[in-house]
Amino acid sequence: DPAMGAIYGKLYNWYAVNDARGLAPAGWHIPIDFEWTILTKCLGGEAVAGAAMKESGTAHWVPINTGATNSSGFTALPGGYRNIGGTFYTIGSGCKFWSATPANDVSRPTFAWYRYLSNCNSINQRTNNNKEDGFSVRCVKD
């Protein structure tokens, strides 16, 4: 939906994130999992970093938006995600951001690392999921 894309941005599968043609503009890159970990630690750790990253208030987040301060200036918006089957979920209540790092789990070779933020808590959760799902992307300046 172009209207949703104008507000929340586009959703990409992990293969687009790591395509050789480059999703990020020149001078930028998709952060690896370790870069997300550094950001999370600088913002107080996984249990509280989400609060500093989420847009404060409920202009885009469904009530309530637990702990959100946007003190980092990251201004995460709840663009939700698209699953492998094409269904959209959690628009207004959560967002998932890909890292450029595969999960390297022998039992799940089609998984990669991402970060999840929810309206229900202040957590910046590190987890992995299917590379074919559609998540948000944030670029980092080189």
Side-chain angles (χ1 to χ4, degrees):
D1 180 349
M4 294 302 249
I7 297 169
Y8 300 109
K10 304 213 180 306
L11 301 177
Y12 302 90
N13 68 33
W14 189 83
Y15 299 105
V17 167
N18 282 282
D19 188 285
R21 294 171 289 181
L23 183 62
W28 295 76
H29 67 276
I30 307 301
I32 61 172
D33 183 54
F34 182 68
E35 289 173 297
W36 279 107
T37 299
I38 291 170
L39 174 63
T40 300
K41 286 181 179 180
C42 287
L43 296 176
E46 191 171 298
V48 297
M53 297 171 71
K54 295 187 297 180
E55 173 194 50
S56 59
T58 56
H60 296 101
W61 290 85
V62 297
I64 65 174
N65 189 10
T66 303
T69 65
N70 196 34
S71 61
S72 69
F74 190 90
T75 318
L77 296 177
Y81 71 97
R82 179 185 180 272
N83 75 2
I84 191 171
T87 304
F88 292 85
Y89 294 95
T90 69
I91 295 172
S93 64
C95 51
K96 297 181 178 187
F97 293 95
W98 279 122
S99 81
T101 307
N104 289 331
D105 183 339
V106 175
S107 65
R108 299 189 294 185
T110 61
F111 279 46
W113 293 106
Y114 73 92
R115 298 296 171 140
Y116 177 63
L117 307 175
S118 170
N119 70 309
C120 297
N121 57 52
S122 298
I123 298 171
N124 176 353
Q125 182 180 6
R126 176 185 183 256
T127 191
N128 58 59
N129 209 359
N130 195 302
K131 294 174 181 177
E132 293 184 29
D133 287 346
F135 297 167
S136 297
V137 171
R138 278 293 175 99
C139 298
V140 177
K141 196 163 180 65
D142 292 344

mmCIF file of all heavy atoms in Angstrom, residues 70-112:
data_model
loop_
_atom_site.group_PDB
_atom_site.id
_atom_site.type_symbol
_atom_site.label_atom_id
_atom_site.label_comp_id
_atom_site.label_asym_id
_atom_site.label_seq_id
_atom_site.Cartn_x
_atom_site.Cartn_y
_atom_site.Cartn_z
ATOM 1 N N ASN A 70 12.214 8.209 22.512
ATOM 2 C CA ASN A 70 12.982 8.604 21.333
ATOM 3 C C ASN A 70 14.201 9.446 21.710
ATOM 4 O O ASN A 70 14.643 10.289 20.939
ATOM 5 C CB ASN A 70 12.116 9.345 20.311
ATOM 6 C CG ASN A 70 12.777 9.413 18.951
ATOM 7 O OD1 ASN A 70 13.487 8.501 18.546
ATOM 8 N ND2 ASN A 70 12.580 10.505 18.244
ATOM 9 N N SER A 71 14.750 9.221 22.882
ATOM 10 C CA SER A 71 15.897 10.004 23.345
ATOM 11 C C SER A 71 17.128 9.833 22.452
ATOM 12 O O SER A 71 18.014 10.683 22.456
ATOM 13 C CB SER A 71 16.241 9.652 24.792
ATOM 14 O OG SER A 71 16.584 8.290 24.910
ATOM 15 N N SER A 72 17.170 8.778 21.661
ATOM 16 C CA SER A 72 18.296 8.555 20.745
ATOM 17 C C SER A 72 18.127 9.281 19.418
ATOM 18 O O SER A 72 19.079 9.425 18.667
ATOM 19 C CB SER A 72 18.439 7.059 20.461
ATOM 20 O OG SER A 72 17.335 6.597 19.690
ATOM 21 N N GLY A 73 16.908 9.707 19.118
ATOM 22 C CA GLY A 73 16.629 10.329 17.824
ATOM 23 C C GLY A 73 16.430 9.320 16.705
ATOM 24 O O GLY A 73 16.305 9.695 15.548
ATOM 25 N N PHE A 74 16.378 8.055 17.012
ATOM 26 C CA PHE A 74 16.196 6.986 16.013
ATOM 27 C C PHE A 74 14.801 7.044 15.384
ATOM 28 O O PHE A 74 14.630 6.759 14.207
ATOM 29 C CB PHE A 74 16.424 5.629 16.695
ATOM 30 C CG PHE A 74 16.501 4.456 15.756
ATOM 31 C CD1 PHE A 74 17.712 4.056 15.236
ATOM 32 C CD2 PHE A 74 15.366 3.730 15.436
ATOM 33 C CE1 PHE A 74 17.797 2.953 14.391
ATOM 34 C CE2 PHE A 74 15.439 2.622 14.589
ATOM 35 C CZ PHE A 74 16.660 2.243 14.072
ATOM 36 N N THR A 75 13.801 7.399 16.154
ATOM 37 C CA THR A 75 12.412 7.573 15.709
ATOM 38 C C THR A 75 11.850 6.357 14.968
ATOM 39 O O THR A 75 11.324 6.470 13.860
ATOM 40 C CB THR A 75 12.242 8.853 14.850
ATOM 41 O OG1 THR A 75 12.982 9.919 15.435
ATOM 42 C CG2 THR A 75 10.785 9.264 14.761
ATOM 43 N N ALA A 76 11.955 5.204 15.585
ATOM 44 C CA ALA A 76 11.396 3.986 14.992
ATOM 45 C C ALA A 76 9.878 4.099 14.899
ATOM 46 O O ALA A 76 9.207 4.495 15.855
ATOM 47 C CB ALA A 76 11.766 2.773 15.834
ATOM 48 N N LEU A 77 9.351 3.769 13.733
ATOM 49 C CA LEU A 77 7.908 3.755 13.495
ATOM 50 C C LEU A 77 7.448 2.311 13.348
ATOM 51 O O LEU A 77 8.181 1.468 12.838
ATOM 52 C CB LEU A 77 7.558 4.546 12.237
ATOM 53 C CG LEU A 77 7.869 6.039 12.266
ATOM 54 C CD1 LEU A 77 7.538 6.665 10.922
ATOM 55 C CD2 LEU A 77 7.116 6.729 13.387
ATOM 56 N N PRO A 78 6.213 2.029 13.743
ATOM 57 C CA PRO A 78 5.710 0.654 13.741
ATOM 58 C C PRO A 78 5.197 0.198 12.377
ATOM 59 O O PRO A 78 3.995 0.049 12.150
ATOM 60 C CB PRO A 78 4.587 0.711 14.773
ATOM 61 C CG PRO A 78 4.036 2.095 14.617
ATOM 62 C CD PRO A 78 5.243 2.957 14.347
ATOM 63 N N GLY A 79 6.117 -0.052 11.463
ATOM 64 C CA GLY A 79 5.751 -0.469 10.118
ATOM 65 C C GLY A 79 5.356 -1.921 9.988
ATOM 66 O O GLY A 79 5.010 -2.380 8.904
ATOM 67 N N GLY A 80 5.418 -2.654 11.107
ATOM 68 C CA GLY A 80 5.037 -4.062 11.078
ATOM 69 C C GLY A 80 6.004 -4.896 10.263
ATOM 70 O O GLY A 80 7.158 -4.536 10.063
ATOM 71 N N TYR A 81 5.498 -6.005 9.751
ATOM 72 C CA TYR A 81 6.304 -6.877 8.901
ATOM 73 C C TYR A 81 5.393 -7.699 7.996
ATOM 74 O O TYR A 81 4.188 -7.755 8.189
ATOM 75 C CB TYR A 81 7.206 -7.794 9.734
ATOM 76 C CG TYR A 81 6.494 -8.888 10.484
ATOM 77 C CD1 TYR A 81 6.405 -10.177 9.962
ATOM 78 C CD2 TYR A 81 5.910 -8.642 11.726
ATOM 79 C CE1 TYR A 81 5.746 -11.188 10.650
ATOM 80 C CE2 TYR A 81 5.259 -9.644 12.425
ATOM 81 C CZ TYR A 81 5.176 -10.913 11.885
ATOM 82 O OH TYR A 81 4.531 -11.907 12.560
ATOM 83 N N ARG A 82 6.007 -8.310 6.998
ATOM 84 C CA ARG A 82 5.289 -9.175 6.054
ATOM 85 C C ARG A 82 5.883 -10.573 6.178
ATOM 86 O O ARG A 82 7.099 -10.744 6.093
ATOM 87 C CB ARG A 82 5.474 -8.656 4.633
ATOM 88 C CG ARG A 82 4.788 -9.486 3.564
ATOM 89 C CD ARG A 82 5.153 -8.935 2.185
ATOM 90 N NE ARG A 82 4.523 -9.679 1.129
ATOM 91 C CZ ARG A 82 5.021 -10.770 0.553
ATOM 92 N NH1 ARG A 82 6.179 -11.251 0.945
ATOM 93 N NH2 ARG A 82 4.390 -11.370 -0.423
ATOM 94 N N ASN A 83 5.027 -11.569 6.381
ATOM 95 C CA ASN A 83 5.561 -12.922 6.517
ATOM 96 C C ASN A 83 5.799 -13.558 5.150
ATOM 97 O O ASN A 83 5.441 -13.006 4.112
ATOM 98 C CB ASN A 83 4.677 -13.798 7.415
ATOM 99 C CG ASN A 83 3.397 -14.253 6.743
ATOM 100 O OD1 ASN A 83 3.120 -13.980 5.583
ATOM 101 N ND2 ASN A 83 2.578 -14.961 7.496
ATOM 102 N N ILE A 84 6.391 -14.734 5.156
ATOM 103 C CA ILE A 84 6.752 -15.443 3.932
ATOM 104 C C ILE A 84 5.535 -15.717 3.038
ATOM 105 O O ILE A 84 5.645 -15.773 1.830
ATOM 106 C CB ILE A 84 7.500 -16.755 4.281
ATOM 107 C CG1 ILE A 84 8.123 -17.379 3.045
ATOM 108 C CG2 ILE A 84 6.606 -17.718 5.023
ATOM 109 C CD1 ILE A 84 9.046 -18.538 3.367
ATOM 110 N N GLY A 85 4.353 -15.821 3.650
ATOM 111 C CA GLY A 85 3.132 -16.075 2.894
ATOM 112 C C GLY A 85 2.481 -14.829 2.321
ATOM 113 O O GLY A 85 1.492 -14.913 1.599
ATOM 114 N N GLY A 86 3.026 -13.651 2.645
ATOM 115 C CA GLY A 86 2.500 -12.408 2.096
ATOM 116 C C GLY A 86 1.522 -11.662 2.985
ATOM 117 O O GLY A 86 0.970 -10.645 2.586
ATOM 118 N N THR A 87 1.327 -12.131 4.219
ATOM 119 C CA THR A 87 0.411 -11.474 5.140
ATOM 120 C C THR A 87 1.170 -10.433 5.962
ATOM 121 O O THR A 87 2.286 -10.682 6.412
ATOM 122 C CB THR A 87 -0.242 -12.502 6.081
ATOM 123 O OG1 THR A 87 -0.886 -13.493 5.285
ATOM 124 C CG2 THR A 87 -1.262 -11.847 6.992
ATOM 125 N N PHE A 88 0.550 -9.265 6.163
ATOM 126 C CA PHE A 88 1.152 -8.189 6.952
ATOM 127 C C PHE A 88 0.665 -8.269 8.388
ATOM 128 O O PHE A 88 -0.506 -8.531 8.640
ATOM 129 C CB PHE A 88 0.800 -6.829 6.339
ATOM 130 C CG PHE A 88 1.453 -6.603 5.006
ATOM 131 C CD1 PHE A 88 0.870 -7.073 3.847
ATOM 132 C CD2 PHE A 88 2.664 -5.942 4.913
ATOM 133 C CE1 PHE A 88 1.474 -6.879 2.601
ATOM 134 C CE2 PHE A 88 3.278 -5.735 3.684
ATOM 135 C CZ PHE A 88 2.681 -6.213 2.531
ATOM 136 N N TYR A 89 1.583 -7.992 9.331
ATOM 137 C CA TYR A 89 1.286 -8.059 10.756
ATOM 138 C C TYR A 89 1.856 -6.856 11.501
ATOM 139 O O TYR A 89 2.822 -6.255 11.060
ATOM 140 C CB TYR A 89 1.912 -9.317 11.389
ATOM 141 C CG TYR A 89 1.333 -10.609 10.904
ATOM 142 C CD1 TYR A 89 1.928 -11.313 9.872
ATOM 143 C CD2 TYR A 89 0.194 -11.144 11.487
ATOM 144 C CE1 TYR A 89 1.399 -12.518 9.427
ATOM 145 C CE2 TYR A 89 -0.347 -12.353 11.057
ATOM 146 C CZ TYR A 89 0.269 -13.029 10.029
ATOM 147 O OH TYR A 89 -0.256 -14.222 9.598
ATOM 148 N N THR A 90 1.319 -6.559 12.630
ATOM 149 C CA THR A 90 1.753 -5.596 13.651
ATOM 150 C C THR A 90 1.950 -4.160 13.165
ATOM 151 O O THR A 90 2.658 -3.398 13.812
ATOM 152 C CB THR A 90 3.016 -6.076 14.414
ATOM 153 O OG1 THR A 90 4.155 -6.071 13.562
ATOM 154 C CG2 THR A 90 2.812 -7.447 15.030
ATOM 155 N N ILE A 91 1.330 -3.773 12.062
ATOM 156 C CA ILE A 91 1.411 -2.368 11.668
ATOM 157 C C ILE A 91 0.741 -1.551 12.762
ATOM 158 O O ILE A 91 -0.384 -1.821 13.159
ATOM 159 C CB ILE A 91 0.750 -2.119 10.299
ATOM 160 C CG1 ILE A 91 1.513 -2.854 9.202
ATOM 161 C CG2 ILE A 91 0.668 -0.621 9.993
ATOM 162 C CD1 ILE A 91 0.860 -2.831 7.849
ATOM 163 N N GLY A 92 1.462 -0.595 13.288
ATOM 164 C CA GLY A 92 0.963 0.239 14.369
ATOM 165 C C GLY A 92 1.406 -0.222 15.744
ATOM 166 O O GLY A 92 1.346 0.543 16.699
ATOM 167 N N SER A 93 1.877 -1.466 15.854
ATOM 168 C CA SER A 93 2.255 -1.949 17.179
ATOM 169 C C SER A 93 3.670 -2.522 17.261
ATOM 170 O O SER A 93 4.129 -2.853 18.354
ATOM 171 C CB SER A 93 1.263 -3.009 17.669
ATOM 172 O OG SER A 93 1.296 -4.152 16.835
ATOM 173 N N GLY A 94 4.375 -2.627 16.146
ATOM 174 C CA GLY A 94 5.728 -3.164 16.203
ATOM 175 C C GLY A 94 6.498 -2.953 14.921
ATOM 176 O O GLY A 94 5.924 -2.596 13.881
ATOM 177 N N CYS A 95 7.806 -3.151 15.002
ATOM 178 C CA CYS A 95 8.658 -3.048 13.815
ATOM 179 C C CYS A 95 9.849 -3.975 13.973
ATOM 180 O O CYS A 95 10.319 -4.243 15.076
ATOM 181 C CB CYS A 95 9.125 -1.618 13.588
ATOM 182 S SG CYS A 95 9.870 -0.813 15.007
ATOM 183 N N LYS A 96 10.306 -4.476 12.836
ATOM 184 C CA LYS A 96 11.459 -5.363 12.786
ATOM 185 C C LYS A 96 12.457 -4.768 11.804
ATOM 186 O O LYS A 96 12.088 -4.358 10.708
ATOM 187 C CB LYS A 96 11.039 -6.765 12.345
ATOM 188 C CG LYS A 96 10.075 -7.433 13.312
ATOM 189 C CD LYS A 96 9.687 -8.828 12.864
ATOM 190 C CE LYS A 96 8.774 -9.481 13.888
ATOM 191 N NZ LYS A 96 8.497 -10.887 13.573
ATOM 192 N N PHE A 97 13.731 -4.732 12.213
ATOM 193 C CA PHE A 97 14.797 -4.176 11.391
ATOM 194 C C PHE A 97 15.841 -5.249 11.113
ATOM 195 O O PHE A 97 16.441 -5.801 12.042
ATOM 196 C CB PHE A 97 15.475 -2.993 12.102
ATOM 197 C CG PHE A 97 14.600 -1.797 12.279
ATOM 198 C CD1 PHE A 97 13.901 -1.601 13.457
ATOM 199 C CD2 PHE A 97 14.466 -0.867 11.261
ATOM 200 C CE1 PHE A 97 13.090 -0.497 13.631
ATOM 201 C CE2 PHE A 97 13.659 0.248 11.427
ATOM 202 C CZ PHE A 97 12.962 0.431 12.614
ATOM 203 N N TRP A 98 16.075 -5.523 9.822
ATOM 204 C CA TRP A 98 17.078 -6.516 9.434
ATOM 205 C C TRP A 98 18.480 -6.049 9.805
ATOM 206 O O TRP A 98 18.786 -4.863 9.755
ATOM 207 C CB TRP A 98 17.079 -6.734 7.926
ATOM 208 C CG TRP A 98 16.036 -7.635 7.385
ATOM 209 C CD1 TRP A 98 15.095 -7.319 6.438
ATOM 210 C CD2 TRP A 98 15.816 -9.014 7.707
ATOM 211 N NE1 TRP A 98 14.314 -8.411 6.159
ATOM 212 C CE2 TRP A 98 14.733 -9.465 6.933
ATOM 213 C CE3 TRP A 98 16.424 -9.909 8.580
ATOM 214 C CZ2 TRP A 98 14.256 -10.763 6.998
ATOM 215 C CZ3 TRP A 98 15.953 -11.203 8.658
ATOM 216 C CH2 TRP A 98 14.871 -11.625 7.869
ATOM 217 N N SER A 99 19.339 -7.020 10.088
ATOM 218 C CA SER A 99 20.780 -6.807 10.060
ATOM 219 C C SER A 99 21.272 -7.485 8.787
ATOM 220 O O SER A 99 20.540 -8.263 8.166
ATOM 221 C CB SER A 99 21.456 -7.424 11.289
ATOM 222 O OG SER A 99 21.651 -8.810 11.112
ATOM 223 N N ALA A 100 22.506 -7.230 8.418
ATOM 224 C CA ALA A 100 23.087 -7.861 7.233
ATOM 225 C C ALA A 100 23.727 -9.206 7.567
ATOM 226 O O ALA A 100 24.408 -9.787 6.735
ATOM 227 C CB ALA A 100 24.124 -6.927 6.608
ATOM 228 N N THR A 101 23.472 -9.724 8.771
ATOM 229 C CA THR A 101 24.141 -10.916 9.257
ATOM 230 C C THR A 101 23.245 -12.151 9.217
ATOM 231 O O THR A 101 22.171 -12.146 9.838
ATOM 232 C CB THR A 101 24.612 -10.694 10.714
ATOM 233 O OG1 THR A 101 25.379 -9.487 10.782
ATOM 234 C CG2 THR A 101 25.449 -11.862 11.199
ATOM 235 N N PRO A 102 23.670 -13.194 8.518
ATOM 236 C CA PRO A 102 22.902 -14.447 8.559
ATOM 237 C C PRO A 102 23.016 -15.073 9.948
ATOM 238 O O PRO A 102 23.990 -14.836 10.664
ATOM 239 C CB PRO A 102 23.566 -15.317 7.498
ATOM 240 C CG PRO A 102 24.951 -14.785 7.362
ATOM 241 C CD PRO A 102 24.876 -13.314 7.689
ATOM 242 N N ALA A 103 22.035 -15.872 10.321
ATOM 243 C CA ALA A 103 22.047 -16.506 11.646
ATOM 244 C C ALA A 103 23.120 -17.579 11.765
ATOM 245 O O ALA A 103 23.548 -17.899 12.872
ATOM 246 C CB ALA A 103 20.670 -17.089 11.959
ATOM 247 N N ASN A 104 23.575 -18.139 10.651
ATOM 248 C CA ASN A 104 24.605 -19.191 10.649
ATOM 249 C C ASN A 104 24.245 -20.358 11.557
ATOM 250 O O ASN A 104 25.081 -20.904 12.255
ATOM 251 C CB ASN A 104 25.978 -18.625 11.025
ATOM 252 C CG ASN A 104 26.544 -17.756 9.939
ATOM 253 O OD1 ASN A 104 26.255 -17.948 8.761
ATOM 254 N ND2 ASN A 104 27.328 -16.767 10.318
ATOM 255 N N ASP A 105 22.989 -20.710 11.538
ATOM 256 C CA ASP A 105 22.486 -21.844 12.300
ATOM 257 C C ASP A 105 22.311 -22.997 11.312
ATOM 258 O O ASP A 105 21.500 -22.897 10.388
ATOM 259 C CB ASP A 105 21.155 -21.469 12.954
ATOM 260 C CG ASP A 105 20.580 -22.556 13.831
ATOM 261 O OD1 ASP A 105 20.947 -23.738 13.657
ATOM 262 O OD2 ASP A 105 19.739 -22.229 14.675
ATOM 263 N N VAL A 106 23.059 -24.055 11.491
ATOM 264 C CA VAL A 106 23.026 -25.188 10.564
ATOM 265 C C VAL A 106 21.607 -25.725 10.410
ATOM 266 O O VAL A 106 21.197 -26.116 9.321
ATOM 267 C CB VAL A 106 23.988 -26.307 11.033
ATOM 268 C CG1 VAL A 106 23.878 -27.525 10.143
ATOM 269 C CG2 VAL A 106 25.404 -25.792 11.075
ATOM 270 N N SER A 107 20.839 -25.705 11.492
ATOM 271 C CA SER A 107 19.478 -26.236 11.423
ATOM 272 C C SER A 107 18.505 -25.268 10.753
ATOM 273 O O SER A 107 17.407 -25.656 10.373
ATOM 274 C CB SER A 107 18.975 -26.592 12.827
ATOM 275 O OG SER A 107 18.850 -25.429 13.614
ATOM 276 N N ARG A 108 18.910 -23.986 10.623
ATOM 277 C CA ARG A 108 18.037 -22.984 9.986
ATOM 278 C C ARG A 108 18.865 -22.070 9.074
ATOM 279 O O ARG A 108 19.042 -20.891 9.359
ATOM 280 C CB ARG A 108 17.321 -22.159 11.056
ATOM 281 C CG ARG A 108 16.440 -23.011 11.928
ATOM 282 C CD ARG A 108 15.565 -22.209 12.832
ATOM 283 N NE ARG A 108 16.329 -21.473 13.833
ATOM 284 C CZ ARG A 108 15.772 -20.772 14.791
ATOM 285 N NH1 ARG A 108 14.461 -20.693 14.890
ATOM 286 N NH2 ARG A 108 16.496 -20.140 15.669
ATOM 287 N N PRO A 109 19.349 -22.605 7.954
ATOM 288 C CA PRO A 109 20.227 -21.809 7.080
ATOM 289 C C PRO A 109 19.517 -20.656 6.387
ATOM 290 O O PRO A 109 20.176 -19.773 5.839
ATOM 291 C CB PRO A 109 20.732 -22.840 6.060
ATOM 292 C CG PRO A 109 19.654 -23.878 6.028
ATOM 293 C CD PRO A 109 19.118 -23.938 7.437
ATOM 294 N N THR A 110 18.211 -20.636 6.416
ATOM 295 C CA THR A 110 17.466 -19.559 5.749
ATOM 296 C C THR A 110 17.057 -18.460 6.730
ATOM 297 O O THR A 110 16.168 -17.667 6.441
ATOM 298 C CB THR A 110 16.208 -20.114 5.057
ATOM 299 O OG1 THR A 110 15.362 -20.708 6.062
ATOM 300 C CG2 THR A 110 16.554 -21.133 3.993
ATOM 301 N N PHE A 111 17.723 -18.368 7.878
ATOM 302 C CA PHE A 111 17.403 -17.366 8.884
ATOM 303 C C PHE A 111 18.519 -16.325 8.988
ATOM 304 O O PHE A 111 19.682 -16.618 8.735
ATOM 305 C CB PHE A 111 17.192 -18.013 10.260
ATOM 306 C CG PHE A 111 15.825 -18.619 10.439
ATOM 307 C CD1 PHE A 111 15.247 -19.414 9.467
ATOM 308 C CD2 PHE A 111 15.109 -18.380 11.596
ATOM 309 C CE1 PHE A 111 13.989 -19.973 9.643
ATOM 310 C CE2 PHE A 111 13.855 -18.935 11.792
ATOM 311 C CZ PHE A 111 13.295 -19.731 10.813
ATOM 312 N N ALA A 112 18.138 -15.092 9.380
ATOM 313 C CA ALA A 112 19.094 -14.003 9.596
ATOM 314 C C ALA A 112 18.676 -13.220 10.844
ATOM 315 O O ALA A 112 17.527 -13.292 11.287
ATOM 316 C CB ALA A 112 19.141 -13.085 8.375
#
